[in-house]
Amino acid sequence: MAGEKRPPKTIIPKKYPMPVQDPQRRIKNFEEVALGYPEDTVIAEAKRCLDCKNAPCRQGCPVDVDIPAFIRLAAQGDFAGAIQKIKETNALPAICGRVCPQENQCEKFCTLGKKYEPVAIGRVERYCADWELARGALPQRVASPTGKRVAVVGSGPAGLTCAADLAKAGHGVTVFEALHVPGGVLMYGIPEFRLPKRVVQAEVDNLKKLGVRIEVNAVVGKFATVDELLNGGGFDAVFIGTGAGLPYFMKIPGENACGVYSANEFLTRTNLMKAYLFPGCDTPIRVGRKVAVLGGGNVAMDSARTALRLGAEESWIVYRRSRREMPARREEVEHAVEEGVKFAFLTSPTRIIHDHNYWVTGMECLRYELGEPDASGRRRPVPIPGTEFVMEVDTVVVAIGQGPNPLVPRTTSGLEVNRKGNIVADPVSGATSKPGVFAGGDIVTGAATVILAMGAGRAAAKAMHSYLTQKGAVR
Amino acid sequence: MYKIVHKEILAPTINLIEIEAPLVAGKAEAGQFVILRLGEGGERIPLTIADFDREKGTITCVFQEVGKTTKQLGTLEVGDELKDFAGPLGLPSRIQNYGSVVCVGGGVGVAPVYPIARALKEAGNEVTGIIGARNRELLFWEDRMQAACTRLLVATDDGSYGHHGFVTDLLREVIGEKKELDLCIAIGPLPMMRAVSNLTREYGLKTVVSLNSIMVDGTGMCGCCRVTVGGETKFTCVDGPEFDGHLVDFEEMARRSVIYKPMEQLALELYLEGTGHRCSCGQGGEK
């Protein structure tokens, strides 16, 4: 604390290692890889914090969690206090502690990290959140009912956060989810081995305790449009958080061959539909002997690691840039390497080859080199002519990104979208071109992170609360 | 949960169920489909809407028992409930007054073609209906189609009823006698839709087919249902299910539709074993 005299600190240069399932064992199951710190380790790790005055870690957090404060409480073993502190600004800490790219956020700015390894802020966050989940979340205060009703479209991180905040402010909230379970990408996209579905379920249950109604199998844009929800549907405002639910393909010949999956399909079959339990569950998936995953992000890592667990003998990441440009979380890349995922860098396919039955037999690829930096700041990959070669694979998973699902934007009148189809929304309030309609998360920003979507859901909830309370008795 | 309020066995292995789903029924149009799931661990299967009743808030689906899920669905009775039921998905049929149209339904495809024929007739079209099945026993809804069409022609593969042969034989006759046909709608098994499209291409008769691709989410999220139409990749679930039959790559579509065949057969066998069903009746595997 400011002004307090602290005893000099012994620096522990490295993070306490995270206990993990052994790689050889875990590639045969879908259970969580990172097992979580034990209590004494989390306290020791929290004590590594220098508690520096300017706390640069906070500027790296998209939702401005009071990191020094919760780390300090955790160091004292006060996990109830720590989780309360985190939850002041982060609604889904058990999820963020597992899936945030901390190395590009809080931990990137950690003072300790300038010379040594930064404090494992994410792991401490996860411990505190799991500590609370194991005991049942403390009941949260809900303001007295305002009589206003809000529809939240989509139950991913943006929608869940927005719904929770609006419910706490006393509004009547209904969440509409197109699939048969709530959670969005947390359920269909991120694998069980990285984010156990019980953790997502617990967050959804907390939401229900706040009085939020969740309607599954409710495809907005089909059973009702946003306009209909507002006019005659009884809702005073709508939040759109429909995510990046449109898979991009390479647009190369052969991409519709049998054995080519979008990462969305590959992961949805496995995570949401539990195809790894087939025939115990009804949804099948076919994974061949040698799988190529195109892309270098988290979705690509998830797909490559899923392929191994589904029984592939070889699983390759095929990426047109080099290792250092890969957008995936560092820990996911490390885990993938440990599990035996192979990498073909500076490589990209030009066509997919199939047999007469349309089954994939290989990919023709080109080698790339890195040129000048592009708009993303990363060096642009340039194909090297004449380097064509055939990579023999029987399954291809395309994980080169996702765009905004057009279902809601296309069926909503007066809603401005940009060239890529993302909804145009105020970066602070989430307000769209349509009065009473707010949006946030990947549908606005393009595919990004859970924490950014959550932050957008929270910001929109704040703006919607003022919109609803200032709007007076308009119905 | 979505309750079954009515059930009919239309033919051996072909069932009709009417399901209580007011939100879906409120918006359903001819040509659209639903995705349903029977229970925990179940798969999501798309079924084309065969009829809807906005006032009662019900959707009618007709399905043939071919795999585990449809066989299981066939065991459900009035009062039983489906776990999940989402829709109406896909784009509705384009209903307008084209002039003279022909609606072709083959096998279980007669069911989804029925509300389209009805709507086209209501829109002022002269509607010629052609329906067909393998044999008389498998033919259903002749009465409904009779009412929905200006005239109706029937074919059976084995000649046990109506014309002895395929619906394409009758279609060729209709095209021959009526030069002024403006549109053909064809729904049925892939080989039938392909044959119809090949035939009408010869005559330059615009043809719409309704594809029943394998799907997971049905909202454009997974891309499992992609199909090449006119050289472009389309998603059946959001861009279809109806496409220009002259532009569909049926060969690719046929290959993609059997991707999971070995696994579907395994699931079916295990299911039938589990129910004590011994496979002597010929229903143990897909033909």
Side-chain angles (χ1 to χ4, degrees):
Chain A
M1 313 249 162
E4 239 175 76
K5 193 129 178 125
R6 281 170 303 188
K9 218 158 173 159
T10 325
I11 301 271
I12 299 159
K14 284 185 179 292
K15 288 179 182 179
Y16 285 87
M18 172 63 106
V20 291
Q21 262 201 83
D22 174 70
Q24 287 318 306
R25 196 178 148 259
R26 75 189 188 225
I27 58 169
K28 295 187 176 67
N29 67 50
F30 274 83
E31 287 152 38
E32 192 168 20
V33 168
L35 302 171
Y37 278 154
E39 184 174 329
D40 52 345
T41 311
V42 79
I43 291 174
E45 181 64 32
K47 282 183 174 162
R48 288 182 66 229
C49 177
L50 301 175
D51 206 0
C52 49
K53 248 185 206 163
N54 53 348
C57 47
R58 280 189 80 161
Q59 61 175 277
C61 178
V63 297
D64 194 32
V65 167
D66 189 347
I67 295 165
F70 96 75
I71 295 282
R72 203 180 300 130
L73 289 161
Q76 293 159 5
D78 179 2
F79 303 114
I83 192 63
Q84 288 284 64
K85 189 48 83 182
I86 296 169
K87 282 193 148 179
E88 284 175 11
T89 59
N90 181 343
L92 307 170
I95 295 168
C96 292
R98 288 174 165 84
V99 304
C100 261
Q102 287 95 1
E103 71 266 27
N104 300 324
Q105 299 178 345
C106 50
E107 295 180 19
K108 181 180 177 179
F109 296 94
C110 174
T111 305
L112 192 61
K114 289 197 169 72
K115 224 172 149 186
Y116 309 100
E117 282 189 4
V119 177
I121 299 168
R123 295 173 183 175
V124 179
E125 177 187 32
R126 170 186 162 167
Y127 182 89
C128 299
D130 286 356
W131 183 91
E132 187 193 40
L133 283 181
R135 284 156 187 81
L138 298 170
Q140 304 197 62
R141 269 201 304 274
V142 175
S144 52
T146 61
K148 300 289 182 186
R149 293 184 63 212
V150 184
V152 171
V153 185
S155 64
L160 289 180
T161 309
C162 187
D165 284 6
L166 286 168
K168 279 187 244 171
H171 305 294
V173 182
T174 304
V175 178
F176 295 103
E177 167 55 48
L179 292 168
H180 56 269
V181 289
V185 71
L186 306 170
M187 292 305 275
Y188 75 73
I190 303 177
E192 175 79 18
F193 59 78
R194 199 148 77 80
L195 178 64
K197 301 309 152 209
R198 62 174 168 78
V199 173
V200 183
Q201 192 53 51
E203 296 296 357
V204 171
D205 290 344
N206 285 340
L207 207 58
K208 288 182 184 161
K209 281 183 205 149
L210 292 172
V212 172
R213 275 186 59 177
I214 300 182
E215 298 283 350
V216 293
N217 300 316
V219 188
V220 172
K222 289 295 178 186
F223 84 89
T225 62
V226 168
D227 293 82
E228 287 164 341
L229 293 175
L230 286 169
N231 308 313
F235 292 100
D236 301 288
V238 175
F239 175 78
I240 303 172
T242 47
L246 175 74
Y248 285 148
F249 286 93
M250 299 281 291
K251 303 202 167 179
I252 56 175
E255 215 168 10
N256 291 348
C258 304
V260 182
Y261 291 92
S262 75
N264 272 3
E265 181 188 354
F266 193 72
L267 294 174
T268 300
R269 282 184 180 273
T270 313
N271 301 328
L272 178 74
M273 306 310 298
K274 307 241 178 302
Y276 59 90
L277 299 175
F278 181 91
C281 279
D282 291 341
T283 304
I285 193 163
R286 277 184 86 148
V287 173
R289 204 179 51 77
K290 193 168 166 185
V291 179
V293 177
L294 314 180
N298 287 320
V299 175
M301 297 306 138
D302 288 346
S303 301
R305 298 170 68 196
T306 295
L308 287 177
R309 285 162 172 76
L310 290 170
E313 287 167 27
E314 277 183 47
S315 180
W316 285 80
I317 290 279
V318 177
Y319 183 53
R320 61 190 186 134
R321 304 186 205 236
S322 71
R323 178 181 293 261
R324 52 182 300 158
E325 287 84 21
M326 282 201 300
R329 272 179 100 216
R330 187 181 304 147
E331 188 178 85
E332 307 315 325
V333 178
E334 286 166 5
H335 284 162
V337 171
E338 286 169 13
E339 289 169 11
V341 170
K342 296 178 174 157
F343 294 79
F345 292 113
L346 296 164
T347 304
S348 188
T350 49
R351 69 186 174 101
I352 290 163
I353 304 162
H354 56 75
D355 64 15
H356 65 283
N357 285 324
Y358 279 64
W359 278 96
V360 173
T361 56
M363 286 194 313
E364 186 185 86
C365 299
L366 264 184
R367 301 279 187 207
Y368 280 65
E369 60 190 350
L370 293 179
E372 294 300 309
D374 64 10
S376 73
R378 296 177 299 173
R379 292 177 64 192
R380 186 191 303 276
V382 184
I384 310 171
T387 56
E388 289 87 353
F389 70 100
V390 172
M391 191 172 178
E392 277 177 33
V393 294
D394 50 18
T395 307
V396 176
V397 180
V398 186
I400 56 168
Q402 302 89 235
N405 190 305
L407 232 166
V408 172
R410 266 190 208 157
T411 53
T412 307
S413 70
L415 188 67
E416 197 189 330
V417 296
N418 69 13
R419 197 172 44 83
K420 287 182 174 168
N422 294 105
I423 295 175
V424 177
D426 184 280
V428 178
S429 68
T432 68
S433 57
K434 192 177 175 70
V437 177
F438 298 73
D442 285 2
I443 188 70
V444 171
T445 57
T449 58
V450 168
I451 186 93
L452 283 172
M454 216 201 73
R458 167 146 288 179
K462 204 173 153 200
M464 290 172 84
H465 178 65
S466 9
Y467 171 82
L468 291 165
T469 45
Q470 283 161 21
K471 199 180 157 199
V474 182
R475 231 322 139 84
Chain B
M1 300 291 266
Y2 305 82
K3 196 192 272 180
I4 297 175
V5 294
H6 178 68
K7 178 180 178 177
E8 283 175 48
I9 295 166
L10 299 178
T13 73
I14 300 178
N15 301 307
L16 172 155
I17 48 171
E18 187 178 352
I19 302 120
E20 213 169 61
L23 289 180
V24 184
K27 278 301 190 67
E29 298 285 357
Q32 292 186 294
F33 66 95
V34 295
I35 284 197
L36 60 83
R37 205 170 73 109
L38 299 184
E40 222 45 78
E43 62 181 335
R44 295 169 62 92
I45 61 160
L47 289 179
T48 315
I49 293 171
D51 207 351
F52 49 90
D53 187 328
R54 294 200 206 289
E55 277 169 27
K56 274 168 76 185
T58 60
I59 295 284
T60 297
C61 292
V62 172
F63 62 94
Q64 186 154 26
E65 298 175 11
V66 284
K68 177 187 173 186
T69 301
T70 44
K71 277 214 185 295
Q72 237 177 330
L73 186 57
T75 65
L76 300 185
E77 299 296 339
V78 171
D80 288 342
E81 292 178 326
L82 309 179
K83 180 113 178 31
D84 299 294
F85 195 83
L89 300 170
L91 302 174
S93 306
R94 287 185 59 180
I95 303 299
Q96 62 185 67
N97 192 346
Y98 295 94
S100 186
V101 299
V102 54
C103 291
V104 188
V108 76
V110 171
V113 100
Y114 159 70
I116 301 172
R118 182 179 62 186
L120 285 169
K121 194 179 170 199
E122 279 168 13
N125 291 281
E126 186 192 337
V127 180
T128 302
I130 302 175
I131 58 173
R134 284 213 304 277
N135 55 52
R136 182 174 195 160
E137 218 189 0
L138 290 169
L139 192 77
F140 63 93
W141 278 15
E142 188 187 357
D143 52 341
R144 286 206 191 200
M145 281 299 282
Q146 200 90 56
C149 299
T150 322
R151 67 165 173 158
L152 183 70
L153 305 169
V154 183
T156 51
D157 296 2
D158 69 350
S160 52
Y161 186 67
H163 169 78
H164 184 172
F166 298 120
V167 288
T168 39
D169 306 338
L170 294 173
L171 179 59
R172 192 183 288 278
E173 281 174 29
V174 169
I175 295 172
E177 74 192 34
K178 289 179 74 80
K179 298 278 176 252
E180 73 285 21
L181 280 174
D182 299 292
L183 181 72
C184 172
I185 311 262
I187 309 181
L190 267 185
M192 176 224 126
M193 291 193 284
R194 188 178 192 171
V196 167
S197 299
N198 286 340
L199 172 65
T200 56
R201 189 185 286 113
E202 286 173 36
Y203 296 93
L205 171 60
K206 187 176 164 56
T207 298
V208 170
V209 295
S210 177
L211 301 181
N212 188 6
S213 311
I214 301 176
M215 294 183 189
V216 184
D217 66 293
T219 62
M221 188 270 279
C222 83
C224 169
C225 63
R226 61 197 191 278
V227 56
T228 303
V229 182
E232 267 182 68
T233 294
K234 299 281 183 189
F235 289 1
T236 304
C237 67
V238 287
D239 302 319
E242 294 182 356
F243 292 105
D244 183 336
H246 296 161
L247 299 179
V248 170
D249 182 341
F250 281 104
E251 183 61 25
E252 179 189 276
M253 170 80 201
R255 301 296 184 180
R256 287 191 65 82
S257 70
V258 294
I259 288 178
Y260 296 105
K261 190 136 193 170
M263 304 176 89
E264 286 162 4
Q265 256 156 12
L266 172 68
L268 180 62
E269 277 161 30
L270 291 173
Y271 171 69
L272 293 175
E273 269 170 34
T275 56
H277 187 107
R278 294 281 167 262
C279 290
S280 54
C281 71
Q283 291 179 21
E286 283 151 275
K287 309 284 177 306

